[in-house]
Amino acid sequence: MSRIDELRKQNRDSHQSAKEHLAVLDEMSAEAERVADVAKDVHIIVGDLDRQFEKATGLQWQDVKFLFFATALQCIRQYVLTKFPERLDDKAAADHTWGHWEEHSNRHHRYYNPSLEEIITNPVPFDANVGANGALAGGGRMGHRVTAIGHDPILGYVFGTANIATSTLTNHLLQSYHIATGERGDYFRNQASTALVLIRTKDKLLHEGWEGKKKVAVSLLKEAIHLKSDIGTKHSLPLPMISLVDAHLASELAERGLDMANAVTVGKQAAFAVMLNAFIAMLHDICYDGSMSSRKLYSVKTRKILMYSNMIATVSNVIITALSAYVGAGDIAARNFDMGGFMVTVYRIVNDRNFIKEIKQEFLANEFYSIVMG
């Protein structure tokens, strides 16, 4: 190749390279202009994306049917399954409790060692109050329900069972007394050792053969039946553990509605509300047909159904409760108020709104990134 031909080839290559670089510069210029236009109209683009998200996650007729179904289930729960039960007197509550039988006081006193028949036929010893001489003082209007630790919904299964198995009573100060039967029924005979109350119960369970095990088993069953009976009464039982710290405080809380009966009902209301929400969420998730671009967007619909159904049910319950109280039906209003469901609704509003907000932010970020990157 001559020198002239070589120069001509270099010239052509240079020209071609310049054209390619100019094309790249033109493309970069056009892209810069496009991004500048995007930046200039960012509020419009974000608004469009926001509307796209709301349209994509809006409730369609199929979702609305789920909303009606979920709301109906929550309302049925409120007024059929979990309303506050009517409080009964002690005798009526005992008669309505499974396993309760007729009892009479007839303790042939043997220290820490009643017979199995005595355990079965005698009432629980921690209901005794004759001759207490201040041992049960400080319970306020709740009386021995807060000062006799056998009535504690948790500690009672330890101390109450031990009291029944040893024919004793242990108070909230952990002082124990022997209970005997006299002319006026069960009475405080003399002081006992709390340590021995527990030790003798343990010995019955571990070292006294089948007879001792039966005594402890019957005592535990009798304790459970007695607590079940007392929970539904007008005075109910104190909240767990508080009596051990301050018996008067436990009584004051119970007088203001913070007792075991209400705690159980509120817990049941919340638990049933959560179960229904989980059931609806599962059914709605099963109905996902893949038509939406993202499963996360579909989950936003599920959260909206749960949040709206809980809100509708709670608002309707508050209105009905307020109207009942206004017309003078205070007892009906108190029994129908869905406190547990109200708490679940507040949780759903906070939690579901945060979840929807996070999914929306993710959607906007991804779509805006796609627009900017072309």
Side-chain angles (χ1 to χ4, degrees), residues 298-316:
Y298 186 78
S299 67
V300 171
K301 288 189 174 188
T302 303
R303 293 299 186 105
K304 285 184 176 181
I305 290 170
L306 298 179
M307 183 171 61
Y308 295 159
S309 63
N310 280 259
M311 288 172 62
I312 293 170
T314 295
V315 169
S316 67

Side-chain angles (χ1 to χ4, degrees), residues 322-333:
L323 289 176
S324 299
Y326 180 75
V327 299
D331 183 60
I332 295 176

Side-chain angles (χ1 to χ4, degrees), residues 11-25:
N11 182 57
R12 286 194 301 270
D13 291 343
S14 299
H15 185 68
Q16 181 62 31
S17 177
K19 287 176 62 178
E20 292 176 357
H21 281 86
L22 287 173
V24 171
L25 290 174

Side-chain angles (χ1 to χ4, degrees), residues 66-83:
F66 267 100
L67 174 61
F68 289 157
F69 180 55
T71 304
L73 288 181
Q74 291 291 356
C75 290
I76 291 172
R77 172 193 64 76
Q78 289 173 337
Y79 302 110
V80 177
L81 299 177
T82 59
K83 68 179 182 179

Side-chain angles (χ1 to χ4, degrees), residues 135-195:
L136 298 177
R141 293 183 63 182
M142 287 280 286
H144 75 290
R145 291 281 176 90
V146 295
T147 52
I149 207 68
H151 289 102
D152 188 281
I154 293 179
L155 296 176
Y157 282 100
V158 177
F159 289 95
T161 300
N163 287 155
I164 296 170
T166 58
S167 193
T168 58
L169 179 152
T170 303
N171 65 15
H172 65 292
L173 301 175
L174 298 185
Q175 299 167 339
S176 295
Y177 300 85
H178 292 290
I179 304 300
T181 299
E183 294 181 358
R184 293 188 294 166
D186 287 344
Y187 71 98
F188 282 62
R189 181 169 182 173
N190 55 329
Q191 193 157 2
S193 166
T194 302

Side-chain angles (χ1 to χ4, degrees), residues 303 307 344-357:
R303 293 299 186 105
M307 183 171 61
V344 172
T345 296
V346 172
Y347 169 80
R348 291 232 69 95
I349 291 174
V350 175
N351 189 62
D352 291 341
R353 282 173 64 90
N354 288 336
F355 176 83
I356 294 172
K357 182 179 179 181

Side-chain angles (χ1 to χ4, degrees), residues 99-110 113-128 160-161 163-168 178-187 215 218-223 225-226:
H100 178 78
W101 55 82
E102 197 67 33
E103 298 167 324
H104 61 278
S105 295
N106 186 24
R107 303 179 193 275
H108 304 287
H109 198 271
R110 291 178 293 276
N113 193 30
S115 67
L116 180 61
E117 182 183 357
E118 286 181 53
I119 292 174
I120 294 173
T121 60
N122 280 270
V124 296
F126 47 82
D127 268 349
T161 300
N163 287 155
I164 296 170
T166 58
S167 193
T168 58
H178 292 290
I179 304 300
T181 299
E183 294 181 358
R184 293 188 294 166
D186 287 344
Y187 71 98
K215 288 182 179 181
V218 171
S219 298
L220 179 61
L221 177 61
K222 199 175 183 76
E223 171 69 17
I225 293 172
H226 188 77

